[in-house]
Structure formats: structure tokens, C-alpha cells
């Protein structure tokens, strides 16, 4: 009794799809994040370039990483939700 | 007013805790709030848990001193949530029960995993607790006018009460409340800041007249710089870190000055200083320290896009203009450095001296992290960014929040809410930190109070509210950490590892006792580590978490040959290597009172070595122990 999950969850047929999608999106973000780190160590003065409304690359890239994280998160949730709904519908159809 | 708002908040939190505590009887209720928290509430509670003293006090403080380098923490902390969302959130929810050890061990039933993961949870939680307690003391000190150590004890006592009454349930609602308030009032502060605009003579909203630093013309006499003003007598001169500091006497009063070269010739510029006198007394700027004789707050613009004086004052700005003007190549920012010396009277003198930095230098990395330095300096930077990226998804007190929601989909959604709230807040940190830097809102002794002091420049009410929220910030995060640590002791070690026979009630009681013990340890460490930047300390917690936990989590999920022996070994190697590298780093040498240049490890961030080492250990040990593997399928574990 003490070792049960706080809220048990059933089998998730979409888990494999979500796993693949998550890894793909993680790689996309990691590459962009690595680009930020590498520009800083390889060519730090590049971060001084003014790129948008008087803001330099450091600020735009930094804000961009934060905003991109949210955009990718929303896309991920949309795709996962759609797949879960699709598989649930299929499962219900088979049961009927 | 500050005290009243502060007391109202503390009273509310305690009443909430006792109310929820009266409803918490089961272990699931205590350790995971029954697994029934709504995903949106959990998302904001995530933000409340994660936006710790390090985020609010530490990052803003660091930006207020070294500009963009402090914002790197915001970027790294937020980016880490991508790892949590895309890779860790749903699987951890599916596999785990109360603690992240449950998830790691779900496919094996291994005693070694239980023990190493629980120890890792304890170490990471305690590392994370130190900066929270340091931040708490720093915050309460000026707010309630009490010593730092009393503040730390007070916070510890309140948090122990919160956790010991209702565990994860009260912790969740404290975190939700604090997360929402923190984001809302940070917006208020930033709007007020933008509305004020920029000026070269910031006067705390008219309350504190801007202090122009005094300058004396000087004559170079055989290397000694003597003032032209004959009313001053030259006493001594010392050369430190490439700067010349001169002590003068006028009307029997000492003062310290810094030599600067000007077009008109050498000048002596006013500095601030603290003297530890032989009789034990502390003197500030030549007079005994007192409530009305403290170091002046510092930080201002000397020129804005090439303009000085009244012509430079901007009026209200939009967010882009604010950042663009501070980062302009012809903007000059006056920041403050510190050094110490022993004067000819054998007294220790700490000197705080100004230096001018170009705006575009402030707005790109390099003032703290030497990205233009040696290859080792650059590796140190990469190491930090690596630890921040991989640390979030390995923090036990964050991972346990996945067990408070009903399903993996809710875990995912709550992570997205967290990313939105935390990301928005981190954008605000750049404004708040820079705002403190240009509004004379930096305490030269500790930059951790920069954001609350910026709020004070807009009036006592905003200061009181922001300080109370910052205090709640500490309460929320420390509560989460203590729940994680007490879960590691009572659930992972005593129940699962040592097989102590618990009833529901006695297991909750064991968690409460563990919470009290961990809270006491946190209080002691919070007092010992006073003075270090809280965000910097959290960087270490991330490094330990990323090294000890993340390789195990990722490989468990993505590599079928992972064995229990491989996981246990990688956690042990991750902890030992990360801790070892930190303890032998230049920053710790400074803490030991040793010369940091003689440190055995020449960099401060261990992640770049300890994370790969932990991965390699897991792979090698797993390959060597394949025949002993008793790995189950994830479906079996979740069933």
C-alpha cells in the first residue's frame, strides 16, 4: 500500500510517439543553445553586433532562446495532445 | 509598513499550513499532495518552486554588478526546462511514485540505486538550500533590522513548520501563491522602471540626492600622489590590483582616495571604505558604523548614448529603448569593485572603488565569465552553461512535483505553464538587474539585495511588498527542498532501503522528523556561507544534480542495456567528481582563506568533466554487468 503511485496512471499508447517527438525537439533546441554558447567562446565580439531595434545579438539571442523554448513547448503539447486524442478515438472505435 | 506586510504574509502561510496539515493523514498526501493537484496550479507552483532566491535575488544582483553575465543564468535555467519537458516529464511521472529515486529504481528494485539516489537527493537539496538560506538572511536583515544569522534561523523555523505540518500540500500552495505574486509584482516594478527612464543623476525617486564623487587634483611626486589642496595631509599610498589608493588626513579625519589619470593630470577620486579597527569596532567612511552611517548605495550612468548631465535624462522608455540605451557603445556605466588592504595602523581596510564600463561591454558576456580569456576560462563558461542546461531536469525537488498531478499529460501541461511563467520572469530579471545598476540601488557589500533596493527607490510600499514576496520565494523553495530531502530519508532510505516497517502515520512522522533535521542543517550552512552570491551557489547545485542524476535518468529512459549497477555507479561517480572539483576550485580556496591561484582545480564549474564522467561510468559499468541485469519492462513497472 505504501509503494503505490500517488496517482496511478494507465498505459499510454502515445508514449512512443511522444518520446520520439520529444527527442527530436530536444535536439533542435540543444543545437540552437549550443550555437549561443559557442558564439560566446569562439567569437565573443560578435555578440556586440546590433541586430534589432538597437539591441545587440547577445540580448536578441538570449531572449530568443527563452521565447523559442515556449514556442517549442506549445507545439509539442499540441502535437502530443492531437496524437493522444487520435489514439483514444481509435481505441474507442475498436471497443465499439 | 514593511514589517506589517511581512508579518501578514508569514501569518497567512502558517495558517494555510496548519489548515492543510489538519487534512493530511496519508503518506501520499504528505509526500505528493495526494497526486491530485490541477496542472495549472502545479505549473505556477513549479515556477514558485524554481524561482528561488537565486533567481530573484541572485540573478538580479549579479546583473546589477556584471551586467549580461548575470542574465546567462536566466537563459541557462530556462533552457533546462526544455530537457525536463521533452525528455523527462512524462516518463518520470509514469515511473515514479513519491520521489525520483522511485522512478530510477522502478525497473530494477535495486538497493544500491535506492541508497545512491537518496544520498544524491540529500546532497543536491542541501547544496540548493545553502543559497536560499543565505538569501533569506540577507533579505530579512534590512527588512526587520536584525542580524543575518537571526534572519536565517527565523526562515528555517518557519519553513520547518510549513513542511512538518502538511508536507507537499502546504508546500504546493505556498509555492503557487508566491510564484504568482512574484511574477505580478516584478511586472509592476519593471513598468515603474521604464516609466522613470534613465538619468545620469539617479536620486531614488527624489528621496536620496545623487552623490557626486569628490575629485581632488593631485601631483605625482616620485610615485606618490599628493593632493594640491593643502588642507589635506598625505598619510600613505598602497598599490593593489593595478590601482593606487591614497590615505589622506583632513581635520584629523582619515579618508581613502583612488588615483585616476585625467587629461588635466592625475586626480584623486573618492572611494568608500570599511575599516576593521584594532579595538574590534567597524568604521565606515571614516566614522563609526551606525544606522545613519552605512555605505552609500551605488551604480549609475555617467553618460547615456554620449550625452551627459540634464540633456541625458530620457523620460519614459519602452523596453527596447531601455536596453538599447544602456547597451549603447557611448553609454558609460559606473560600476563598483572591491579590494582590501592593511593600512600602516595595521587595520584591515576594505575599499569599494568605482570604475567606468562602456554600455556595450555591460550588455554582452565577459565581465564575470572570461569568454575572451584563456582556453581554460572559456571551458569554465561552457561548463557552467552545460550544468545549467542539464541541471534543471535532475533537481529532485523539481522532479517530485511531477507526482502531485494526476497523469503524465498533466505533468506535461504543468511543465509548459512553468516554462511560460518562468521564461517571462527571466526576461524581467534583465530589466530589474540593469534597473538596479543604473538607479544607485546596489549595496556595495552584497549585491543580493539589488532588486528589493530598486523597489525601495519607488517607495516603501513596493519595497515592503517585493521584500515580502522575496521572503515567500525563499519559503516556497526551501519548503520544496526540505520535502524532497525528507522524502529521501524517510521513503527512500528508511522505508525502501532499510525496510523499516512503517504504518501510514509513522511514515509521515518519519518524514517530519527528517524535515526538522534537514532544516537545522540548512540553518547552519546558511549562516556559514553568508556573503556569497546566491545564484553562483545554485550553479554548483545544478552541477552536482546534472552530474549525479541526469545521466542515470536519461540512460534509464533511452538505453536498454542500462543496469542497476551502472546507474548506482554513475550516481556515485557524478556526486564524488562534482563535489571534489568544487571543493578544490579557486572559489572554495578563497572561502578557505587560501590563494585561489594555487587551487588544484583551475576552474570553478565542474560540469564539463563530471557530467561526461558520470555518463561514461554508466555505460562501462552497464556493459560489464549485463549478465547480472534484472531489468523489467517499463509497462511492468508502471502496472
Amino acid at each position: 500500500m505504501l509503494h503505490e503511485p500517488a496517482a496511478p496512471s494507465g498505459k499510454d499508447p502515445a508514449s512512443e510517439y511522444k518520446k520520439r517527438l520529444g527527442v527530436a525537439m530536444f535536439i533542435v533546441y540543444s543545437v540552437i543553445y549550443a550555437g549561443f554558447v559557442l558564439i560566446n567562446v569562439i567569437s565573443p565580439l560578435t555578440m556586440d553586433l546590433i541586430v534589432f531595434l538597437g539591441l545587440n545579438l547577445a540580448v536578441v539571442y538570449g531572449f530568443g532562446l527563452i521565447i523559442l523554448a515556449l514556442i517549442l513547448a506549445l507545439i509539442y503539447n499540441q502535437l502530443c495532445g492531437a496524437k493522444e486524442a487520435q489514439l483514444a478515438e481509435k481505441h474507442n472505435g475498436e471497443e465499439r | 509598513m514593511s514589517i506589517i506586510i511581512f508579518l501578514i504574509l508569514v501569518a497567512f502561510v502558517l495558517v494555510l499550513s496548519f489548515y492543510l496539515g489538519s487534512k493530511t493523514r496519508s503518506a501520499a498526501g504528505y509526500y505528493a499532495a495526494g497526486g491530485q493537484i490541477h496542472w495549472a496550479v502545479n505549473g505556477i507552483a513549479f515556477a514558485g518552486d524554481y524561482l528561488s532566491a537565486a533567481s530573484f535575488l541572485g540573478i538580479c544582483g549579479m546583473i546589477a554588478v556584471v551586467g549580461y553575465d548575470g542574465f546567462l543564468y536566466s537563459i541557462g535555467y530556462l533552457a533546462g526546462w526544455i530537457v525536463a519537458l521533452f525528455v523527462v516529464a512524462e516518463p518520470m511521472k509514469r515511473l515514479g511514485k513519491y520521489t525520483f529515486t522511485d522512478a530510477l529504481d522502478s525497473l530494477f528494485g535495486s538497493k544500491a540505486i535506492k541508497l545512491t539516489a537518496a544520498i544524491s537527493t540529500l546532497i543536491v537539496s542541501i547544496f540548493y538550500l545553502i543559497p536560499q538560506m543565505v538569501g533569506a538572511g540577507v533579505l530579512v536583515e534590512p527588512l526587520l533590522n536584525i542580524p543575518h544569522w537571526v534572519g536565517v534561523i527565523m526562515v528555517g523555523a518557519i519553513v520547518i513548520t510549513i513542511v512538518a505540518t502538511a508536507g507537499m500540500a502546504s508546500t504546493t500552495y505556498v509555492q503557487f501563491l508566491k510564484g504568482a505574486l512574484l511574477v505580478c509584482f516584478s511586472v509592476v516594478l519593471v513598468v515603474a522602471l521604464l516609466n522613470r527612464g534613465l538619468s545620469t543623476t539617479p536620486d531614488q525617486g527624489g528621496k536620496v540626492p545623487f552623490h557626486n564623487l569628490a575629485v581632488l587634483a593631485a601631483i605625482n611626486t616620485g610615485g606618490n600622489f599628493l593632493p594640491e589642496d593643502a588642507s589635506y595631509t598625505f598619510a600613505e599610498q598602497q598599490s593593489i590590483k593595478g590601482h593606487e589608493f591614497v590615505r589622506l588626513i583632513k581635520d584629523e579625519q582619515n579618508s581613502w582616495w583612488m588615483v585616476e589619470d585625467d587629461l588635466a593630470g592625475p586626480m584623486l577620486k573618492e572611494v568608500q571604505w570599511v575599516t576593521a579597527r584594532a579595538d574590534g569596532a567597524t568604521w565606515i567612511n571614516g566614522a563609526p558604523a551606525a544606522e545613519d552611517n552605512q555605505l552609500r548605495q551605488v551604480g549609475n550612468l555617467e553618460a547615456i548614448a554620449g550625452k551627459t548631465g540634464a540633456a541625458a535624462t530620457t523620460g519614459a522608455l519602452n523596453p527596447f529603448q531601455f536596453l538599447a540605451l544602456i547597451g549603447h557603445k557611448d553609454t558609460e556605466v559606473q560600476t563598483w569593485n572591491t579590494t582590501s588592504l592593511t593600512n600602516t595602523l595595521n587595520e584591515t581596510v576594505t575599499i569599494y572603488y568605482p570604475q567606468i564600463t562602456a554600455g556595450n561591454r555591460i550588455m554582452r558576456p565577459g565581465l564575470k565569465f572570461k569568454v575572451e580569456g584563456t582556453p581554460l576560462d572559456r571551458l569554465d563558461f561552457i561548463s557552467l552553461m552545460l550544468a545549467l542546461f542539464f541541471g534543471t531536469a535532475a533537481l529532485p525537488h523539481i522532479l517530485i512535483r511531477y507526482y502531485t498531478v494526476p497523469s503524465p499529460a498533466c505533468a506535461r501541461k504543468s511543465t509548459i505553464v512553468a516554462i511560460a511563467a518562468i521564461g517571462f520572469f527571466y526576461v524581467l530579471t534583465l530589466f530589474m538587474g540593469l534597473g538596479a545598476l543604473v538607479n544607485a540601488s546596489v549595496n556595495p557589500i552584497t549585491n543580493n539585495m539589488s532588486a528589493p533596493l530598486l523597489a525601495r527607490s519607488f517607495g516603501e510600499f513596493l519595497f515592503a511588498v517585493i521584500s515580502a514576496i522575496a521572503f515567500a520565494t525563499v519559503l516556497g523553495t526551501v519548503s520544496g527542498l526540505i520535502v524532497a530531502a525528507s522524502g529521501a530519508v524517510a521513503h527512500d532510505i528508511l522505508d525502501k532501503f532499510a525496510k523499516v516497517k512503517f504504518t501510514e502515520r509513522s511514515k509521515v512522522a518519519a518524514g517530519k522528523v527528517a524535515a526538522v533535521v534537514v532544516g537545522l542543517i540548512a540553518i547552519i550552512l546558511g549562516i556559514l556561507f553568508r556573503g556569497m552570491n546566491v545564484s553562483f551557489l545554485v550553479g554548483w547545485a545544478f552541477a552536482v544534480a546534472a552530474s549525479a542524476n541526469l545521466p542515470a535518468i536519461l540512460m534509464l529512459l533511452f538505453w536498454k542495456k542500462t543496469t542497476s549497477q551502472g546507474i548506482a555507479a554513475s550516481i556515485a561517480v557524478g556526486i564524488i567528481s562534482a563535489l571534489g572539483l568544487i571543493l578544490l576550485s579557486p572559489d572554495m580556496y578563497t572561502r578557505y582563506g587560501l590563494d585561489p591561484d594555487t587551487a588544484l582545480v583551475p576552474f570553478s564549474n565542474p560540469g564539463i568533466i563530471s557530467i561526461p564522467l558520470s555518463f561514461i561510468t554508466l555505460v562501462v559499468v552497464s556493459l560489464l554487468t549485463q549478465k547480472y541485469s534484472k531489468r523489467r519492462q517499463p509497462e511492468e513497472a508502471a502496472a
Side-chain angles (χ1 to χ4, degrees), chain B residues 347-360:
Chain B
E347 298 165 332
T348 302
V349 180
T350 306
I351 291 183
Y352 302 90
Y353 60 95
Q355 75 176 37
I356 301 295
T357 308
N360 60 346

Side-chain angles (χ1 to χ4, degrees), chain B residues 125-479:
Chain B
S125 299
I126 287 173
F127 251 83
Y128 214 103
L129 274 169
I130 297 170
Q132 310 308 322
M133 300 305 278
V134 170
V138 167
L139 193 65
V140 176
E141 201 175 351
L143 191 69
L144 302 183
N145 213 9
I146 54 175
H148 180 271
W149 64 271
V150 177
V152 171
I153 291 174
M154 205 173 82
V155 172
I158 295 171
V159 168
I160 289 170
T161 308
I162 293 171
V163 177
T165 47
M168 200 57 168
S170 58
T171 297
T172 296
Y173 286 103
V174 169
Q175 289 171 346
F176 171 77
L177 184 75
K178 157 254 170 149
L181 286 174
L182 181 62
V183 174
C184 291
F185 276 90
S186 295
V187 171
V188 171
L189 184 54
V190 170
V191 169
L193 177 71
L194 295 173
N195 197 44
R196 173 187 283 172
L198 298 172
S199 140
T200 53
T201 54
D203 59 0
Q204 307 278 302
K207 291 190 293 294
V208 182
F210 178 70
H211 179 84
N212 277 306
L213 296 176
V215 177
L216 300 174
I219 307 162
N220 184 347
T221 310
N224 282 340
F225 291 87
L226 311 182
E228 287 184 2
D229 184 343
S231 64
Y232 287 93
T233 309
F234 177 90
E236 64 177 299
Q237 181 173 326
Q238 297 209 25
S239 178
I240 314 266
K241 291 186 185 171
H243 295 286
E244 297 291 333
F245 295 99
V246 177
R247 181 162 66 92
L248 305 178
I249 300 172
K250 181 181 182 180
D251 300 334
E252 296 184 354
Q253 192 157 14
N254 284 290
S255 58
W256 282 92
W257 303 75
M258 184 176 74
V259 177
E260 272 198 352
D261 276 324
D262 191 82
L263 288 176
M267 311 290 279
L268 297 176
K269 193 169 191 178
E270 180 186 354
V271 299
Q272 300 196 75
W273 72 100
V274 176
T275 309
R277 290 165 63 103
D279 61 3
T282 300
W283 281 42
I284 294 176
N285 294 339
E291 200 170 325
D292 58 352
N293 182 40
Q294 298 291 319
L295 289 176
R296 281 187 314 278
Q297 291 174 200
V298 298
N300 67 287
L301 296 172
E302 288 286 292
I304 301 172
K307 294 180 188 167
T308 55
T313 303
T314 64
L317 296 168
N318 70 39
F320 300 111
Q321 290 170 327
F322 180 85
L323 296 177
L325 280 174
I326 293 178
H328 195 282
K329 65 182 173 51
D330 294 325
T331 291
E332 292 178 356
V333 186
Q334 182 152 269
T335 57
W336 287 67
N337 275 341
T338 181
T339 189
S340 62
L341 52 85
T342 304
N343 65 15
T344 52
L345 306 171
N346 210 24
E347 298 165 332
T348 302
V349 180
T350 306
I351 291 183
Y352 302 90
Y353 60 95
Q355 75 176 37
I356 301 295
T357 308
N360 60 346
R361 194 74 192 81
I362 289 280
M363 290 296 275
R364 68 176 167 83
L367 287 183
K368 178 172 176 60
F369 304 110
K370 305 299 175 198
V371 291
E372 294 168 63
T374 63
L376 211 55
D377 290 331
R378 295 174 197 221
L379 272 183
D380 200 23
F381 171 77
I382 294 173
S383 188
L384 171 73
M385 297 308 283
L386 195 67
L388 297 185
F389 190 48
F390 286 117
T392 300
L395 292 172
H397 73 289
I398 294 298
L399 293 172
I400 58 171
R401 190 146 282 298
Y402 286 124
Y403 309 127
T404 61
V405 290
S407 68
C410 290
R412 180 181 79 234
K413 288 176 189 170
S414 62
T415 310
I416 293 165
V417 172
I419 288 175
I422 294 168
F424 181 56
F425 174 79
Y426 279 149
V427 169
L428 300 178
T429 59
L430 186 60
F431 291 92
M432 290 189 283
L434 291 173
L437 171 62
V438 301
N439 278 288
S441 299
V442 182
N443 179 338
I445 295 179
T446 169
N447 56 50
N448 289 324
M449 273 298 281
S450 300
L453 290 178
L454 173 65
R456 178 177 260 171
S457 76
F458 291 100
E460 284 301 315
F461 176 75
L462 194 55
F463 173 65
V465 173
I466 290 281
S467 296
I469 292 169
F471 188 75
T473 290
V474 175
L475 294 186
T477 305
V478 173
S479 305

Side-chain angles (χ1 to χ4, degrees), chain B residues 13-31:
Chain B
V13 165
L14 290 178
V15 168
L16 180 72
S17 297
F18 284 119
Y19 170 71
L20 293 170
S22 67
K23 295 184 159 192
T24 304
R25 297 272 186 277
S26 68
Y30 182 80
Y31 293 107

Side-chain angles (χ1 to χ4, degrees), chain B residues 126 129 133 152-153 155-157 159-161 478 482 512-528:
Chain B
I126 287 173
L129 274 169
M133 300 305 278
V152 171
I153 291 174
V155 172
V159 168
I160 289 170
T161 308
V478 173
I482 293 184
K512 291 180 178 182
V513 171
V516 172
V517 174
V518 174
L520 292 174
I521 293 171
I523 288 172
I524 294 167
L525 293 174
I527 294 169
L528 290 178

